[in-house]
Amino acid sequence: MATQTGVSKDQILQTVRGYREDIEAGVARSSVERRFERDKDIVRELGIPLEAYIPADDDGNNKNTLYRIPKGQYEPPKEFVLDAQDIRLLNTAAAVWREGSLSTDARVSQTKLASYGADINEPLLGFLPMITARDPALDNIRRALADELQVRFDYLTPGEDTAKTRTVSPLSVVLHESRWHLLSIDEPVGQERTFLLRRIVSPVQILRTPARPAQAGQVERMSGELDDMYWSNTAWISVAPGSVAWVELGHRAGSVTEANRVRVQYTDAGALGTELAAYGPDIRGIDAHDVAKAHRDALSRVVADHGG
Amino acid sequence: MVANRSGQAGENLVLFLSLVPYVMDRGEVSLEEAAAQFGRSPDDIRKAVELIACAGVPGDSAAYLHADLFDIDWSAWESEGIIRFENTIVLDHQPRFSPREIAALIAGLQYLAAHPRYGEREDVQRLLAKLRDASGHPNGDTMVVKSGHVESSRGLLDGAIGSGHQVSFDYLASRGDSERRTVDPIALEVRDGTWYLRGWCHSREALRVFRLDRMNSPEVLDAPVGQHPDVSQPESWKIFEPSATDVLVTIECEESALALIAEYLDRGHPPQKEGDVYVATIAFAHTHSLARFIASHPGVVRVRSPESARLAIRDWASAALAGLQT
């Protein structure tokens, strides 16, 4: 790519393999152009800055738009220098991501890291860290975060029958207790709100409206509140002594184990209720009302779904 | 969802652009060297080079690279598989990371730092600061991984892996039977915040995965560990090991649940769409693990067949409800 002069869309469509063949095969120009637009976005998402510009001598007709990769935006900033140890660490950090679009991003990062020429493999003796937690809403929220745009989605609050449409400025996605959360500002009212991605029941729509930026320390404080919530919510769970539930619940952070019950800390009553349902008959009773209700609802749903 | 073809071409473009500074530094690089450095097959490298560098203006992607700038020594490439550039290349630097990549790298480093081997390292903290400066989000990370509880047994197991000693512990299997196990510890795995030990189980004479939260009274033994196959690649070893006694169950789920249950799905046999739902066949070791799976996704995942499994789940959930103190 000529970094100084650039090339026009016409040149691209007529010469670049893939487009050229489609055009020669008689595919409608409009559909080839649509693909070109999509591909531009993909290239930009991969971190390759593709710039469209109109030459100075243009007559105002943007048919003359040229595309180029400006060298200055392509290279890392001057002060961003990685040494061999950094490269190995980043390669290991990228390898954490095992699923979905995150693993694609990770692969792209690893390719870029390899280009530094250093040996990128850190001997990971006996330690295998990985994150596989996925959520269908995650991709678009991450896109919106990167582009600093607002998002809209339908959200089902526990205990309510119908989902409500929400418009928010995303601030961060947080994996807490193995569940993805969205920290955000409710628009247009400007109130802070945290959503559980699992309760988003529609596709996440990325709006054109710019998102409100996070205030200094806001993400840290809001994600800290998830931890605070965990430590302030307590439920006693009666369990079959010696059962899987008894042992696993007893190993949660802050749990207190007695002969036939365990006191657990939790962030979200609905999520804990569902988690407890997975232990089946090992769970004998729950003293927190909202957890107990979510637990019962989950089990009743399973019974109903399997021939009641 | 991005079309596969475009996504693949985009990745090829990144691979090619990343090859440039690597090749420039060395003057020339063989196909095999490039494949080893980038952890790809020689075929992947060949595709990237030919797609992008062929045909004047390159490849099957949105790479609008001017021909002159990527002029490869074609005779060296074709006869010896050597990559060498003939002209000065303007885009000769390593490509920068996208905002999404930086966010994922920061979160990945945070996750590593949950392990004392990394968390106490100054270079990890320095690198985090460097990434945050480059992220364009000075007021907070756009992706955060909170590391969960760390088992007290982790330090002991990590020490035994380092020193090559056997360990023993009381272990509660999924079906609820507890017994003392003696294990050659091979690796600690932390998957979505849950810690596992991978090791060679002496009582089963097989490789096994143990949850740390089902272990009690662990101790390090004097006996050294034996020789075991390399398990440094996580893919080499799934949490779930298929066996002949597995029960094959056909489940149906909503589209929205596919991502949540992705780990259970057989990549070789993707779920089939039938009307509004997706149908997949999954192997489970026993009814307990099936029940746990279904009840973790109430209302979005259902057993369709066999009839015996469907009824077993119904009875299991009914028993759970009936057993509740009121």
Side-chain angles (χ1 to χ4, degrees), chain A residues 84-99:
Chain A
Q85 180 60 25
D86 290 342
I87 289 163
R88 284 196 294 273
L89 273 172
L90 288 177
N91 192 55
T92 307
V96 159
W97 302 104
R98 292 280 160 194
E99 286 289 346

Side-chain angles (χ1 to χ4, degrees), chain A residues 1-3 7 12 16-19 35-36 39 42-43 45-48 50 71-76 80-81 85-86 89-90 92-94 96-99 102 104-105 107-109 111-118 122 124-136 142-143 145 148 171-175 178 180 214-217 219 223 227 238 242-244 247-248 251-253 274 277-281 283-284 295 298-299 301-303 305-308, chain B residues 2 5-6 10-11 13-15 17-18 22 26 37-38 40 50-51 54 57-62 64-66 69 90-98 100-101 104-105 107-109 111-112 115 117-118 121 123 127 130-131 134 137 139 141-146 149 151 172-174 186-192 195 198 211 213-216 232 234-235 256 259-260 262-263 267 292 294-296 298-299 302-303 310 313-314 316-318 320-321 323-325:
Chain A
M1 154 128 6
T3 55
V7 287
I12 292 163
V16 173
R17 238 207 266 172
Y19 303 127
R35 190 151 71 80
F36 170 73
D39 287 351
I42 289 167
V43 168
E45 282 193 355
L46 293 170
I48 311 296
L50 188 63
K71 188 172 163 67
Q73 288 169 43
Y74 172 80
E75 294 176 359
F80 188 77
V81 181
Q85 180 60 25
D86 290 342
L89 273 172
L90 288 177
T92 307
V96 159
W97 302 104
R98 292 280 160 194
E99 286 289 346
L102 273 152
T104 308
D105 282 355
R107 204 163 50 234
V108 169
S109 294
T111 300
K112 291 176 183 174
L113 288 165
S115 74
Y116 284 85
E122 186 172 49
L124 256 189
L125 292 174
F127 180 41
L128 300 166
M130 61 185 94
I131 299 175
T132 61
R134 298 212 306 186
D135 216 290
R142 292 184 64 232
R143 276 203 184 95
L145 278 164
E148 297 167 15
L171 303 177
S172 187
V173 281
V174 180
L175 189 65
S178 303
W180 286 108
Q215 304 294 309
V219 167
S223 66
D227 295 329
S238 303
S243 64
V244 168
V247 173
E248 284 186 11
H251 276 90
R252 285 165 63 103
T274 307
Y279 290 118
I283 304 295
R284 304 281 166 79
H295 175 248
L299 286 172
R301 184 67 198 258
V302 171
V303 173
D305 279 351
H306 293 82
Chain B
V2 162
R5 171 177 160 187
S6 303
E11 277 192 62
L13 171 61
V14 172
L15 180 55
L17 290 172
S18 301
Y22 174 66
R26 280 168 176 66
Q37 174 69 13
F38 286 87
R40 304 293 184 92
E50 293 186 349
L51 267 177
C54 273
V57 184
D60 184 15
S61 74
Y64 319 116
L65 306 157
H66 197 283
L69 301 174
V90 177
L91 296 179
D92 59 351
H93 207 287
Q94 289 80 18
R96 66 166 64 183
F97 299 106
S98 71
R100 260 177 27 195
E101 286 177 75
L105 289 169
L109 273 179
Y111 194 60
L112 285 185
H115 193 289
R117 268 193 234 167
Y118 289 91
R121 277 168 56 170
D123 53 354
L127 184 54
K130 207 184 288 183
L131 287 170
H137 291 274
N139 285 342
D141 300 333
T142 57
M143 192 171 199
V144 177
V145 174
K146 292 262 174 196
H149 182 44
E151 297 298 324
L172 188 64
S174 316
I186 296 171
L188 277 174
E189 173 179 314
V190 51
R191 183 185 283 252
D192 302 330
W195 288 78
R198 295 177 172 206
R211 288 176 66 117
D213 63 3
R214 286 209 216 130
M215 277 179 199
N216 276 318
S232 56
E235 286 75 14
S256 62
L260 300 176
E263 243 193 296
R267 270 144 225 254
R292 195 168 175 167
I294 296 292
S296 299
R302 296 171 289 276
V303 174
R310 190 177 63 77
I313 296 306
R314 185 197 66 186
W316 174 90
S318 302
L321 280 169
L324 288 172
Q325 303 146 1

